Amino acid sequence: MDLGLKDRVYVVTGASRGLGNASARALVADGAKVVITGRDKQSVADAAAGLGPNAIGIAADNADPAGAERLVAAARAHFGRFDGILISVGGPAPGFAADNTDEQWLTAFEAVFLGAVRLARTAAAALDEGGVIGFVLSASVHEPIPGLTISNGLRPGLAGFAKSLADELGPQGIRVVGLLPSRIDTDRVRELDALSGDADAARTANESRIPLRRYGTPEEFGNTAAFLLSPAASYLTGVMLPVDGGARHGF
């Protein structure tokens, strides 16, 4: 199946590793060009080099108010167009309600929530018909995850923003989609498993609750993201797609 990605240009934030990197890799493999970001200059440069000539890396923090305009400008300057953005942010600090400080909440709000909103607004103003805005959110949009109280507080709000944006941009032919990963085998998920004190036992217990009985791979997530961002998904907007091996039992 041809996804229609050849020569289309996307910005993918938080793509020096993890789900953002897997998504950028899938986009490039199908012919797209990408501007990837990460907070560490060397890491994002190495990640871009690993993706080949159809990728450039820019050190950027989602919380930086000037970053969004700079990324759209870079896409146009280097590749001559801008077709969409995948907003992937790192997970906020773990902890329970009694543990997380005001400073941790404020830092997470700037990066995870307001930074994502700002990137989406900037992209919306720059996109034409056929453009797309994607959010990498979390299964916590539907069900809180123990020990991730800040994420549980912020991700559902972003999903609500994304749904509102889909309604507002639909008449312009611009789509808005969300991906809700659960147990994907990334460094972040391994770190969360380790917080239990026995990472192997935690993983075994988690896998037992997933109908497919395993964690997903970053490549599986990336392929899903590439499809949702592609013209092949041109009639999908406002969707929040679980990428979880069937772990969500509701409709």
Side-chain angles (χ1 to χ4, degrees):
M1 178 182 181
D2 181 4
L3 298 181
L5 285 168
K6 183 173 174 54
D7 295 328
R8 295 178 76 86
V9 178
Y10 298 90
V11 170
V12 184
T13 74
S16 59
R17 62 177 190 145
L19 300 182
N21 184 264
S23 300
R25 190 169 297 280
L27 287 166
V28 169
D30 245 87
K33 300 173 182 179
V34 296
V35 177
I36 67 168
T37 78
R39 284 179 290 185
D40 181 77
K41 184 176 182 180
Q42 190 59 54
S43 295
V44 77
D46 291 344
L51 291 170
N54 285 336
I56 63 167
I58 295 178
D61 189 329
N62 285 2
D64 178 7
E69 294 282 1
R70 186 159 63 96
L71 296 175
V72 172
R76 288 175 168 161
H78 285 271
F79 297 124
R81 57 189 288 175
F82 172 60
D83 297 289
I85 187 169
L86 182 64
I87 302 168
S88 179
V89 298
F96 293 89
D99 305 325
N100 293 125
T101 65
D102 286 1
E103 183 179 2
Q104 288 175 320
W105 275 100
L106 287 169
T107 298
F109 179 79
E110 287 284 341
V112 175
F113 192 93
L114 186 56
V117 168
R118 188 184 295 116
L119 284 160
R121 285 194 317 228
T122 301
L127 288 169
D128 296 320
E129 184 175 358
V132 60
I133 297 167
F135 292 86
V136 179
L137 299 174
S138 167
S140 63
V141 164
H142 292 303
E143 185 172 351
I145 299 172
L148 292 181
T149 299
I150 294 179
S151 180
N152 294 339
L154 298 181
R155 306 283 191 190
L158 271 178
F161 170 75
K163 293 285 282 185
S164 295
L165 195 62
D167 289 344
E168 294 172 20
L169 297 181
Q172 301 173 42
I174 298 171
R175 299 186 299 113
V176 182
V177 295
L179 294 105
L180 311 183
S182 185
R183 309 308 290 194
I184 308 294
D185 194 11
T186 61
D187 292 341
R188 165 74 169 173
V189 168
R190 292 187 207 108
E191 290 165 3
L192 294 176
D193 284 346
L195 291 176
S196 69
D198 188 336
D200 290 339
R203 178 164 182 154
T204 298
N206 286 324
E207 287 180 330
S208 73
R209 292 188 288 269
I210 299 170
L212 290 181
R213 294 298 190 270
R214 63 177 178 85
Y215 283 9
T217 67
E219 292 75 18
E220 288 173 317
F221 179 89
N223 290 337
T224 304
F227 168 71
L228 279 185
L229 293 172
S230 78
S234 58
Y235 202 55
L236 294 180
T237 193
V239 298
M240 295 290 130
L241 179 65
V243 187
D244 64 1
R248 173 169 160 75
H249 297 298
F251 294 107

